[in-house]
Amino acid sequence: MAEDSTTPKTTFKRVLLKISGEALMGPQGYGLHPPTVMRIAREVQSVQALGVEVCMVIGGGNIFRGLQGSAQGMERTTADYMGMLATVMNALAMQSALEELNVFTRVISAIRMDEVAEPYIRRRAVRHLEKKRVCIFAAGTGNPYFTTDTAATLRANEMNCEAIFKGTKVDGVYDKDPMKHDDAVRYDTVSYDDCLAKRLGVMDASAIALARDNNLPIIVFSLDEPGGFRGILAGEGTYTRVQG
């Protein structure tokens, strides 16, 4: 088949998209907003159309956040497991949206729940990616006290992804909160060590350290920008690259 000359080239072959659960809320203050879920699914579909193999990790903060539950008096381990279950709900919602777009998808859970998701088996997950299926990794690492940021970095390394794409509300990493400070300055690139030392809030410290130790780039971009995910993979758009 002749290659479509209108299709942009990308140097990435396999990436992991990390988004927060809050990204699925849309204009609501809680839960899932189906039009927003579908919009993000279309972003993933457009990237897969470039020939890129895509993994996803979605947080659960739109439904339940373990750390907040713990802060309100709930036992931390129980709260974290509840947060993991919230990520499974989000993963199933995203799977439904992707499959509505005819994108073959697998939800892979770190906690066994065979009726709704596959158990995490690394070689099987790699095979799904090779068959051009989107793999959504749910339930974090399967352990309390670890965030979905750390789970995303772990899975990206295990899947031999070339980068983590962290979708946020802003178009990169700033020296201070751009929502609160008009003079905030965006970094084009920033080192792992600076992220940790300056507490820039890209990901939690464990995730940054794990990415650093394995030379895994983190690309921070705005998920609210239509076509932004595809654009960056095609070498366009505004973003910050976190690297060594």
Side-chain angles (χ1 to χ4, degrees):
M1 183 182 293
E3 186 175 319
D4 183 355
S5 61
T6 64
T7 301
K9 302 279 196 305
T10 176
T11 59
F12 291 96
K13 299 299 182 186
R14 182 180 295 171
V15 301
L16 186 142
L17 174 63
K18 167 63 172 71
I19 61 176
S20 67
E22 288 88 345
L24 306 184
M25 293 192 306
Q28 304 172 162
Y30 177 82
L32 291 157
H33 183 243
T36 298
V37 176
M38 182 56 72
R39 177 181 66 79
I40 296 172
R42 288 195 184 96
E43 294 275 336
V44 174
Q45 178 194 38
S46 71
V47 165
Q48 196 190 46
L50 295 176
V52 179
E53 297 169 3
V54 182
C55 314
M56 294 183 73
V57 170
I58 307 172
N62 57 319
I63 299 171
F64 188 86
R65 185 180 292 279
L67 204 56
Q68 290 178 353
S70 176
Q72 294 172 13
M74 185 176 292
E75 196 272 323
R76 174 66 188 270
T77 301
T78 298
D80 278 356
Y81 278 121
M82 291 174 67
M84 290 179 216
L85 296 178
T87 72
V88 176
M89 295 172 68
N90 286 338
L92 292 172
M94 183 58 64
Q95 179 185 45
S96 176
L98 284 165
E99 291 189 338
E100 194 171 326
L101 298 172
N102 297 314
V103 177
F104 294 109
T105 309
R106 295 290 185 272
V107 172
I108 301 172
S109 174
I111 299 174
R112 291 195 71 103
M113 46 185 79
D114 296 345
E115 287 76 14
V116 297
E118 289 188 9
Y120 176 69
I121 300 171
R122 179 184 171 277
R123 289 180 180 272
R124 182 186 293 176
V126 169
R127 186 64 178 143
H128 286 320
L129 291 172
E130 291 171 348
K131 290 183 176 180
K132 307 306 178 185
R133 298 165 181 158
V134 172
C135 289
I136 308 176
F137 296 108
T141 67
N143 302 288
Y145 295 93
F146 289 94
T147 67
T148 51
D149 279 347
T150 302
T153 311
L154 174 65
R155 296 294 183 240
N157 279 307
E158 289 179 306
M159 294 298 107
N160 295 318
C161 292
E162 294 162 308
I164 296 175
F165 281 73
K166 176 75 181 287
T168 68
K169 294 182 179 296
V170 294
D171 59 354
V173 180
Y174 286 76
D175 62 346
K176 61 185 84 171
D177 189 342
M179 301 293 191
K180 299 177 181 177
H181 303 277
D182 293 336
D183 62 342
V185 177
R186 185 182 61 81
Y187 297 97
D188 287 327
T189 61
V190 63
S191 71
Y192 303 114
D193 289 339
D194 279 348
C195 283
L196 292 170
K198 297 177 182 179
R199 299 186 178 183
L200 295 177
V202 177
M203 287 179 154
D204 67 67
S206 297
I208 294 290
L210 184 58
R212 178 191 62 195
D213 292 347
N214 293 278
N215 296 315
L216 178 67
I218 303 168
I219 296 172
V220 183
F221 71 104
S222 173
L223 196 66
D224 292 338
E225 183 71 29
F229 186 24
R230 177 186 170 96
I232 293 168
L233 280 159
E236 304 166 358
T238 304
Y239 58 91
T240 297
R241 185 182 180 98
V242 182
Q243 59 189 20

